Amino acid sequence: MIPSEARIRNFRSQPRNLRGAVTMKLDDKHAGNESLVGKSQQYLGEKHGANEKPVTNGRGEDSVKEESNGKCDTARKSLNRYSWQEIQRHNQKDDQWLVIHRKVYDVTGWAKRHPGGHRVLNHYAGEDATDVFRAMHLKLDTVKLYLNPLLIGELAPEEPGQERNKNSQLVEDFQELRRTLEAMNMFKANWVFFFLHLAHILILETLAWLIVWHFGNGWLVTIFISFLLTISQMQSAFLQHDAGHCSMFTNPKWNHLMQKFLMSHLKGLSTKWWNHEHFQHHVKTNIYPKDPDINVGPLFLVGDIQPVKVCLEFPST
């Protein structure tokens, strides 16, 4: 900014000692700026060409990359390495480790805050949870923010990717099936289908109440609307199942709201109870006693282990 003539006259009218002090401050400030510019250029690795324009020689960028890569390498080297024998010992309620993509996580403190329920993590304590983790979590970037603080190590290089008692070919077939379905866009929701599904549920519910309001509550009316409500209630159960799996919308919050509407308002049941039970069913399908869907007590005895356990709990007299 060019100083005005009045400011120049005012400056010249000041005593010499004051003018000298001001000049020294301006010189010091200018020198300080030059030093800062010089340091920044030295750090960024810039040099001036013939046209006096700064030209980047790439040294600064390379040094930053090398520094970040060095930190990543140090973090990898600092991770503890565990064997499956050691990991499988941490399978208790107050001591839970699990493996995801060969990384070992201590989820003991996180289990009570887990949105899917603490039993889901307890069922996989001491085991490999890679496939079920991928199946139950849609937004992996968000989930990784919670996983990173729980990381305590990784599998030793000589250890297999899953427990030795698992059928490795079966695991590979399942992973190949998922890759095929993803390539076919089978996990992409068709909003038209879900809209029509919800529309016919609401139409049946509304029609049933209108019939009662118009014709009264006679026997024939009751039987007919019972038929309508049975269909709508079953369809509501199927649709809330899809919403509970976050299959209707890309945003999980909209799925949870739709499930609450269908399950709590139309059917009068608890969504938290259903999710708590159903998530266990999917992570340990038909595995007794971890799958609550097959834990039907003495009414129906499923499999080979359940009848023996029931007989031991209720011995004949």
Side-chain angles (χ1 to χ4, degrees):
M1 182 178 65
I2 301 175
S4 62
E5 184 178 355
R7 290 185 178 180
I8 294 175
R9 287 199 302 266
N10 186 25
F11 178 77
R12 289 177 178 175
S13 64
Q14 299 293 333
R16 288 188 176 183
N17 55 356
L18 181 59
R19 282 187 287 170
V22 174
T23 305
M24 288 178 63
K25 288 183 179 180
L26 292 175
D27 292 340
D28 293 342
K29 186 175 181 180
H30 181 66
N33 291 337
E34 286 182 349
S35 63
L36 290 175
V37 173
K39 290 181 180 178
S40 63
Q41 289 180 353
Q42 182 181 2
Y43 178 76
L44 294 175
E46 293 180 352
K47 62 182 180 180
H48 289 79
N51 55 359
E52 294 299 328
K53 292 183 179 180
V55 180
T56 305
N57 58 13
R59 293 180 183 176
E61 185 178 357
D62 292 340
S63 63
V64 173
K65 288 183 179 180
E66 290 176 0
E67 184 179 354
S68 61
N69 292 335
K71 290 181 179 179
C72 294
D73 294 338
T74 304
R76 293 192 191 99
K77 292 179 182 178
S78 62
L79 286 177
N80 296 324
R81 295 180 177 181
Y82 300 99
S83 63
W84 276 115
Q85 184 178 4
E86 185 175 2
I87 294 171
Q88 289 173 342
R89 290 199 295 264
H90 300 271
N91 61 350
Q92 304 301 320
K93 186 177 181 180
D94 55 349
D95 184 17
Q96 303 180 41
W97 290 10
L98 52 82
V99 178
I100 300 174
H101 295 297
R102 298 190 64 86
K103 295 293 189 295
V104 183
Y105 298 91
D106 185 356
V107 297
T108 307
W110 168 248
K112 293 182 179 179
R113 295 178 293 166
H114 183 234
H118 65 92
R119 291 187 179 179
V120 174
L121 297 182
N122 189 25
H123 292 340
Y124 270 92
E127 301 179 12
D128 176 68
T130 301
D131 292 323
V132 69
F133 170 81
R134 182 66 183 87
M136 301 298 289
H137 300 91
L138 298 181
K139 295 191 175 183
L140 297 180
D141 294 337
T142 303
V143 179
K144 288 179 180 178
L145 298 177
Y146 296 90
L147 272 181
N148 292 335
L150 307 177
L151 179 64
I152 60 173
E154 61 183 357
L155 284 174
E158 65 275 7
E159 292 291 334
Q162 63 273 342
E163 305 92 310
R164 299 183 186 277
N165 60 340
K166 279 189 176 180
N167 188 334
S168 59
Q169 185 60 47
L170 183 62
V171 174
E172 177 60 29
D173 291 343
F174 176 81
Q175 294 174 351
E176 179 63 26
L177 174 62
R178 181 178 183 85
R179 288 191 292 267
T180 303
L181 294 176
E182 288 177 345
M184 297 172 62
N185 291 326
M186 296 298 291
F187 294 103
K188 186 177 181 180
N190 186 348
W191 67 270
V192 176
F193 167 79
F194 287 115
F195 173 78
L196 295 176
H197 196 170
L198 176 62
H200 97 274
I201 292 173
L202 296 178
I203 290 173
L204 290 175
E205 292 276 343
T206 304
L207 182 61
W209 291 110
L210 287 176
I211 291 175
V212 174
W213 174 74
H214 188 270
F215 294 101
N217 55 355
W219 278 105
L220 293 177
V221 173
T222 302
I223 294 174
F224 182 69
I225 65 171
S226 297
F227 176 74
L228 296 180
L229 291 176
T230 299
I231 298 175
S232 68
Q233 288 290 298
M234 290 301 299
Q235 293 299 319
S236 297
F238 293 141
L239 189 57
Q240 74 84 26
H241 172 274
D242 295 339
H245 281 282
C246 297
S247 300
M248 295 182 64
F249 306 100
T250 56
N251 190 339
K253 292 183 180 180
W254 287 103
N255 286 288
H256 297 325
L257 289 175
M258 180 60 69
Q259 186 188 23
K260 287 181 180 180
F261 170 72
L262 294 167
M263 192 70 169
S264 300
H265 295 278
L266 293 185
K267 296 185 66 63
L269 297 175
S270 170
T271 57
K272 290 185 177 180
W273 165 81
W274 186 87
N275 289 333
H276 181 73
E277 298 291 311
H278 196 66
F279 291 163
Q280 296 180 70
H281 163 71
H282 276 288
V283 300
K284 288 291 183 180
T285 307
N286 295 338
I287 297 179
Y288 179 82
K290 296 182 178 181
D291 183 0
D293 284 10
I294 63 172
N295 189 11
V296 290
L299 296 178
F300 302 98
L301 300 180
V302 183
D304 298 328
I305 300 176
Q306 189 176 8
V308 175
K309 186 175 181 180
V310 171
C311 290
L312 293 177
E313 291 177 352
F314 303 97
S316 57
T317 56

